[in-house]
Amino acid sequence: DIQMTQSPSSLSASVGDRVTITCRASQSISSYLNWYQQKPGKAPKLLIYAASSLQSGVPSRFSGSGSGTDFTLTISSLQPEDFATYYCQQSYSTPNSFGQGTKLEIK
Amino acid sequence: EVQLVESGGVVVQPGGSLRLSCAASGFTFDDYTMHWVRQAPGKGLEWVSLISWDGGSTYYADSVKGRFTISRDNSKNSLYLQMNSLRTEDTALYYCAKGLEQWLVQDAFDIWGQGTMVTVSS
């Protein structure tokens, strides 16, 4: 099974900051990497699929990069509504594992 | 509007059984792989199972293999999860989710339901 490891587990930042979250796979997953945002009491929302493709309706301040085993999610200028928990997920093979999550909090 | 609505979550005793349902609307249900994903209280996301668009392929997490069965009825635009031999560690909010692209088995999840809560407790 493929293990997904995110870092950091939590992060404090301010509105306007540039933030990067990292996700590492235990083996190569090509570009089969997706990012989700989850706010308290809500279902996850797809942000980025196939490592770098922006899902329809998602603001362009979100971007993804990487291939193989190392991936990043970048938020170019944090907005108040971006404070949430972010998860990576590999869709290269089953089980379609998620990272443990990164909680982004207001500084 | 594209929508998924889960139902069937209740409190059940360890060793018990339960069937979850997910009603889909607003898209061509039988073109897409469907998934179940769960989230234990205060914890992260755990993928549970998937079923291909035609029901011909199913996969399970090791934690539920042999106990849970995923199925779908394309004539009713519905997804199901039969859960047997339930354990306390199965306590979670269960989401159904839709695959992003038509006919792909491995894919991102672009539409999620609101979840249905399953509590396994004596």
Side-chain angles (χ1 to χ4, degrees):
Chain A
D1 295 358
I2 299 172
Q3 310 302 319
M4 306 301 294
T5 304
Q6 287 180 234
S7 60
S9 295
S10 64
L11 175 60
S12 294
S14 301
V15 172
D17 284 353
R18 180 183 180 90
V19 166
T20 297
I21 298 169
T22 297
C23 180
R24 175 165 288 176
S26 60
Q27 65 184 74
S28 177
I29 57 170
S30 185
S31 295
Y32 292 89
L33 191 283
N34 313 301
W35 290 98
Y36 300 86
Q37 176 194 67
Q38 187 179 34
K39 296 181 179 179
K42 299 294 186 181
K45 173 186 175 183
L46 177 63
L47 299 176
I48 302 285
Y49 63 96
S52 60
S53 296
L54 191 67
Q55 172 65 350
S56 176
V58 174
S60 59
R61 63 181 179 273
F62 291 92
S63 64
S65 65
S67 67
T69 60
D70 294 315
F71 302 87
T72 58
L73 173 70
T74 299
I75 309 172
S76 60
S77 178
L78 272 174
Q79 298 303 300
E81 60 269 27
D82 299 338
F83 292 95
T85 300
Y86 293 84
Y87 294 92
C88 63
Q89 174 240 344
Q90 63 85 12
S91 52
Y92 179 79
S93 67
T94 54
N96 290 164
S97 40
F98 288 89
Q100 81 279 15
T102 295
K103 187 173 184 179
L104 180 53
E105 298 175 306
I106 301 173
K107 184 183 288 184
Chain B
E1 180 192 5
V2 178
Q3 194 173 13
L4 297 171
V5 179
E6 302 94 336
S7 61
V10 292
V11 178
V12 61
Q13 291 189 337
S17 296
L18 197 56
R19 189 173 90 150
L20 305 183
S21 299
C22 172
S25 59
F27 65 99
T28 305
F29 181 71
D30 53 9
D31 282 355
Y32 294 90
T33 291
M34 296 295 296
H35 301 257
W36 288 99
V37 177
R38 68 184 180 183
Q39 187 168 36
K43 303 297 184 183
L45 301 170
E46 179 187 15
W47 176 82
V48 173
S49 183
L50 75 79
I51 185 166
S52 60
W53 58 277
D54 62 352
S57 296
T58 58
Y59 297 91
Y60 300 91
D62 287 346
S63 58
V64 307
K65 199 175 295 182
R67 300 188 299 122
F68 290 12
T69 302
I70 191 171
S71 62
R72 65 192 296 161
D73 185 338
N74 287 344
S75 69
K76 295 182 178 179
N77 288 351
S78 292
L79 174 72
Y80 306 102
L81 186 67
Q82 178 67 43
M83 310 165 69
N84 297 332
S85 303
L86 282 160
R87 304 168 180 168
T88 55
E89 55 265 36
D90 295 319
T91 294
L93 186 63
Y94 284 74
Y95 294 102
C96 64
K98 168 188 167 290
L100 176 62
E101 300 284 352
Q102 289 173 304
W103 307 304
L104 284 186
V105 175
Q106 302 290 356
D107 205 357
F109 313 150
D110 66 332
I111 304 296
W112 298 63
Q114 84 290 349
T116 188
M117 187 68 200
V118 173
T119 303
V120 184
S121 174
S122 54

